[in-house]
Amino acid sequence: MKRLLGYLKPHKWMMLLSSVLVIALIGVELYKPIIIGNAIDDYIGSYGQPGVDLGMEEAFGGILRAGGLYALMLLLGFVFNASNTWILQNIGQSIIYRMREEVFAHIHTLSVNFFNTQPVGKLVTRVSNDTEAVNELFSQILAKLFKNSVKIIGFAVVMLSINVRMALYSFLLIPFVTGLTFFFRYMSRKAYRLTRTRITELNTFLSEHISGMKLIQIFAREREKYQEFEDKSEQLFRANWREVMTFAIFRPSIYMLSVFAMVIVIGQGSASVLAGTVSLGTLFVFINYISSFFEPIQELAEQFGTLQSSLASAEKIFAILDEKPEIVNPENPRAVTIQGRIEFRHVWFAYEKDDYILKDVSFLIEPGEKVAFVGATGAGKSSILNLIGRYYDIQRGEILIDGVNIREIDKDALRQAIGQVQQDVFIFTGDIKGNISLGSEDISQEEIERAAHIVNADSFINKMPNGFDEPVTERGSTLSAGQRQLLSFARTLAYQPTILVLDEATANIDTETESLITEALEKLMEGRTTIMVAPRLSTIQHADKIIVMHKGEIRESGSHQELLQLGGMYKKLYDLQLAEA
């Protein structure tokens, strides 16, 4: 809670003003029944009584003045309430805007491994649903907790100041209300937490299965997935039902107790009025107060439940904010103008502890050299590519770029110098040019078009109705696999990398498109250190060096012809693919 309240510091003066408005509003609400009570005693009840010199016109004038004063209180109450609502909503939205940006910015700093273990739907829930729950805390709950607490105290103080005996009768059922409130808080807290958990589970399920809908339809699993969704939806329904039933029992219970309290006040108050110890106006004030006295108690209990829900959401948000990135920038990074010399020295790497993917790997790539990694699935080829960009840290050994350990280089500067093209291309919702530049203002329209021309992507872009402004949907569903890959090449080239990484970049390209890319790659790789992983050995024969990986170790290294003459693993792979072809 202390951490949450820290977000209020920039708004402390507005919160102080809100508190003043709340106190003024409560004062108005407390004074309204007194106005009518005084009018009853001074003008209505006294008119025509023996010994009271009060004419009809004077009585009627007094009632009109009381009515005018009451109308003024209504107007003031409206102004105070509207002003306070505007202030609180403004504060709440400002805080949530800041928190949502903070969460999203922090997510960008987290390591790749974090996203491998966290469902996308869960993260979406944290950024959207949970921040909205916290918004409710700042814009409503805290203010209402303060308002209702002051209101209860105000009612109690005013009632005791008017008539102690009547006030004590009014408070007879307070112990029962307190017990019921604590029980409700306990039950509602459990219900809220269960509901939030079920919402997260449902969002995660939806995010995952909507993204994989094509696969579901390919294997005709719609009925089974619908059943899974129905189960999760039913779990959320039951959690919501439990929450609703908690309120359904609590509210009528409080109302029943307020009715009993009203009966006690009317019974004792009527007897006192008949006995002449309490005025009719005072009885009216107490009846009005007692009908309003239990309302803030009920709201207070319900708000404690909502407060628990907001705090639970805040805990989940802070759990994301407290997540530390595994890849940390050096405090004093070395300034390096990256030329493209890459060296692995006795590198050992494991995604999980002691389950080494790479074992004592050493190699050297000179600037401008073209090197290909080949081997069976799981040999460690893609892991080497990930390590060069420092998306993971190694357990033992060293990785050097131009003679400098990559742990000493600013990771953003390192990654900006590396252009990586992967097998699975992600296309963002937007347009063609935005997917090439990724929103970078440093890349001009001319550079975008030049990059597309070099990789032959303009061959299909220019045929589109809007050219580079052609809208594209998420994941590029309106584009072919080959077109998406060409956009990925143009995107990489637009950033002018020093080191080029091709991770099975031509795996999804048809033969015709591959011939276009092969020509483009020759221009793209010129003067750049290039590292390739390719499923077809025919696409890497031009490499200066080919490194053969097997179970995380380097088995062979040399040019295409040298490895064929060696007659080892590479020749077996080559002969196998040649036979399949």
Side-chain angles (χ1 to χ4, degrees), residues 321-342:
L321 291 175
D322 291 337
E323 190 76 34
K324 302 298 182 185
E326 295 176 8
I327 309 301
V328 181
N329 252 341
E331 292 185 7
N332 299 301
R334 291 180 59 177
V336 180
T337 302
I338 295 176
Q339 302 297 320
R341 187 177 190 273
I342 303 169

Side-chain angles (χ1 to χ4, degrees), residues 132-150:
E132 201 56 44
V134 174
N135 172 40
E136 196 173 352
L137 171 71
F138 288 112
S139 61
Q140 296 185 33
I141 297 170
L142 289 179
K144 285 186 176 180
L145 285 173
F146 175 71
K147 176 183 175 181
N148 288 323
S149 299
V150 174

Side-chain angles (χ1 to χ4, degrees), residues 32 62 124 131 209 212 225 228 237 242 267 285 302 319 381 439:
K32 285 191 297 185
V124 171
T131 51
H209 286 77
K225 293 303 176 183
E228 286 183 44
F237 169 78
R242 180 176 176 178
V285 171
E302 292 176 359
K381 309 182 296 296

Side-chain angles (χ1 to χ4, degrees), residues 1-19:
M1 188 65 183
K2 183 179 179 181
R3 187 172 178 180
L4 268 176
L5 293 177
Y7 285 90
L8 284 173
K9 283 185 178 178
H11 310 279
K12 58 185 178 181
W13 296 114
M14 293 299 287
M15 284 300 296
L16 180 61
L17 177 59
S18 173
S19 301

